Amino acid sequence: MALAAPLLRLRLLPLAAFVSVVSLTAAPRRAEAWGKQGHIIVCKIAEKYLSEKAAAAVEELLPESAGGELSTVCPWADEVRFHYYWSRPLHYANTPQVCNFKYSRDCHNSRHQQGMCVVGAINNYTDQLYSYGDSKSSYNLTESLMFLAHFVGDVHQPPHVGFEEDEGGNTIKVWDNSIIETAMKDFYNRSLDTMVEALKMNLTDGWSEDISHWENCGNKKETCANDYAIESIHLSCNYAYKDVEQDITLGDDYFYSRYPIVEKRLAQAGIRLALILNRIFGEDKPDGNVIPLQVQ
């Protein structure tokens, strides 16, 4: 079952409940991926799959303001984009209007500096966090952790690996806050925690047989962020951009056919963030085998 259990008992929404006008000439401004709620959801899922060792390391690195919860700082990277201006290109990756992602071609900023995209950022901050416990480390590992947690969420949001002219999902704004906010309002009584619990239920039921595939990552040196980006560009082409034209109004049909993709990508992002953190902080090091994820 692809959808969270509560969706099966819901009435159809009136068309006015969910509309988004698409403008392909929108002013260039990067979308905020999943929005605050989406990033919190990703990290709440990840928290449940952290090994004991990884959970302890994460708690040690978190700022005091986080209250010991990773999910509270997962929107942080969006909040500092205007202060850390250099980090803006790290939230997405663009392709030249093609439905495939190639790191050597697509992972760069506007100055064509290689590695300046969401995939490069995930690999970079993962590498930095491997210095945890090294007294000679010069990195701010608290920021490294917060960036990594956020960017793993970003790479799973389909239009954040999309066409260059789309400006990181800007022309289809529905893929950031709108789908999640609509779902929370109409399916989950405006409760983020209820939505998280529904996704967790699917992880132990409907998606349980898929998790081993989501966890599969043979890259022992870095991450499998490149594979996640490839998944996202395929989903952008097959779902986000499909049947979308300039100035079209997106309504219920678009929502109901795309929302299951959003649910699954949020869950995948949480599972894979936990996998990365367990590899960094757990028994498993880059030259070892992947630790199977277990709910704590």
Side-chain angles (χ1 to χ4, degrees), residues 181-290:
E181 287 180 350
T182 300
M184 285 176 58
K185 178 172 70 73
D186 291 278
F187 298 162
Y188 302 109
N189 196 28
R190 301 182 186 273
S191 170
L192 185 145
D193 288 337
T194 302
M195 183 173 179
V196 170
E197 289 306 311
L199 293 178
K200 289 178 182 175
M201 187 184 304
N202 266 343
L203 285 168
T204 57
D205 185 13
W207 294 324
S208 59
E209 295 182 2
D210 298 328
I211 291 178
S212 60
H213 175 67
W214 298 352
E215 295 172 7
N216 186 31
C217 178
N219 191 333
K220 304 304 181 184
K221 289 186 177 181
E222 294 181 335
T223 70
C224 284
N226 198 81
D227 296 339
Y228 310 154
I230 292 171
E231 292 172 354
S232 282
I233 185 60
H234 289 165
L235 290 170
S236 289
C237 290
N238 293 329
Y239 292 93
Y241 298 143
K242 189 176 181 181
D243 302 323
V244 173
E245 300 175 0
Q246 183 170 349
D247 297 325
I248 192 173
T249 298
L250 304 175
D252 286 5
D253 289 344
Y254 189 93
F255 173 79
Y256 280 111
S257 59
R258 273 64 172 181
Y259 180 64
I261 304 300
V262 170
E263 275 198 326
K264 183 170 283 191
R265 291 305 273 174
L266 290 169
Q268 287 175 327
I271 290 292
R272 287 162 169 173
L273 174 58
L275 176 67
I276 293 170
L277 294 175
N278 287 344
R279 288 178 65 170
I280 294 170
F281 300 121
E283 303 296 335
D284 183 48
K285 295 301 180 183
D287 57 350
N289 295 318
V290 175

Side-chain angles (χ1 to χ4, degrees), residues 124-175:
N124 176 56
Y125 289 114
T126 296
D127 186 61
Q128 290 186 16
L129 286 166
Y130 271 119
S131 70
Y132 173 75
D134 182 352
S135 59
K136 296 181 180 179
S137 175
S138 60
Y139 299 119
N140 182 333
L141 296 185
T142 293
E143 291 195 352
S144 299
L145 173 63
M146 294 191 293
F147 272 129
L148 175 64
H150 185 94
F151 293 144
V152 171
D154 278 352
V155 79
H156 283 83
Q157 197 254 36
H160 266 244
V161 185
F163 295 164
E164 187 170 5
E165 71 175 19
D166 182 42
E167 295 292 335
N170 183 58
T171 60
I172 309 181
K173 291 287 291 175
V174 63
W175 280 87

